[in-house]
Amino acid sequence: MKKRTFFPELKRNLPNLKRGDVLYPKRTKYSKNRKGRCSRGCKPDGTQLGFGRYGTKSCKAGRLSYRAIEAARRAIIGQFRRNGKIWVRVLADLPITGKPTEIRMGRGKGNPTGWIARVSTGQILFEMDGVSLSNARQATTLAAHKPCSSTKFVQWS
């Protein structure tokens, strides 16, 4: 019996996506998590710069989607123009589920639709090094428009 391929003409036209560009885990033990609560207080973990001279710090607790993290990272990299180095200090590791519109109640939890990261107050989101102060401040301003939460620029002292 001959083995059929599923839409072979579409298989050739798919773009090459690199797995390293996406900021969520490859595998998790459970595909669906509970929503949980975002703590409003300031946790001591991840509130100090550890790698670079400049950074972006969150001003309030909340959630960041993996798309917002990736958009902010690309905005910073576009500002640097291959100069400097950037560290992403948050990882979207919690799956978010959603049910389609106009579906009746019940029948279990919806399918995973995206990933989020819980961010506490004062947590460092991005760190930068190898660029001037003005360039880093401008990149942080561009990146601050991407996530839904408010952020501020911090400098190592």
Side-chain angles (χ1 to χ4, degrees):
M1 192 167 153
K2 191 176 180 184
K3 188 178 180 183
R4 268 181 66 193
T5 56
F6 186 70
F7 295 113
E9 65 277 355
L10 288 179
K11 199 177 226 182
R12 279 182 249 118
N13 296 332
L14 290 175
N16 266 342
L17 295 176
K18 291 188 289 184
R19 186 79 184 176
D21 288 347
V22 185
L23 297 171
Y24 56 82
K26 286 184 182 177
R27 295 182 58 214
T28 55
K29 187 172 182 181
Y30 301 106
S31 63
K32 300 174 186 179
N33 276 10
R34 293 196 175 174
K35 192 178 284 186
R37 300 260 182 233
C38 287
S39 62
R40 291 193 194 131
C42 184
K43 295 181 180 174
D45 302 348
T47 55
Q48 302 292 321
L49 290 174
F51 302 101
R53 294 182 65 188
Y54 313 109
T56 305
K57 184 184 258 193
S58 68
C59 292
K60 59 183 179 179
R63 298 175 181 171
L64 284 179
S65 69
Y66 74 102
R67 292 182 184 189
I69 297 169
E70 179 66 18
R73 185 187 71 84
R74 286 187 182 181
I76 293 171
I77 286 176
Q79 181 66 29
F80 285 175
R81 292 189 185 92
R82 296 183 185 257
N83 297 331
K85 188 159 172 56
I86 180 172
W87 291 271
V88 181
R89 296 278 305 267
V90 290
L91 175 70
D93 58 344
L94 294 170
I96 289 296
T97 59
K99 296 186 91 164
T101 56
E102 300 180 9
I103 294 290
R104 293 188 178 184
M105 298 286 279
R107 299 199 180 173
K109 197 167 182 174
N111 295 327
T113 57
W115 297 85
I116 62 154
R118 285 195 192 119
V119 178
S120 61
T121 308
Q123 186 174 348
I124 301 290
L125 305 178
F126 300 99
E127 291 191 32
M128 298 157 262
D129 199 2
V131 290
S132 64
L133 174 64
S134 61
N135 206 355
R137 200 177 283 273
Q138 193 170 6
T140 302
T141 306
L142 282 174
H145 295 294
K146 308 302 178 193
C148 296
S149 63
S150 61
T151 59
K152 69 178 182 179
F153 179 78
V154 290
Q155 186 176 354
W156 186 75
S157 57

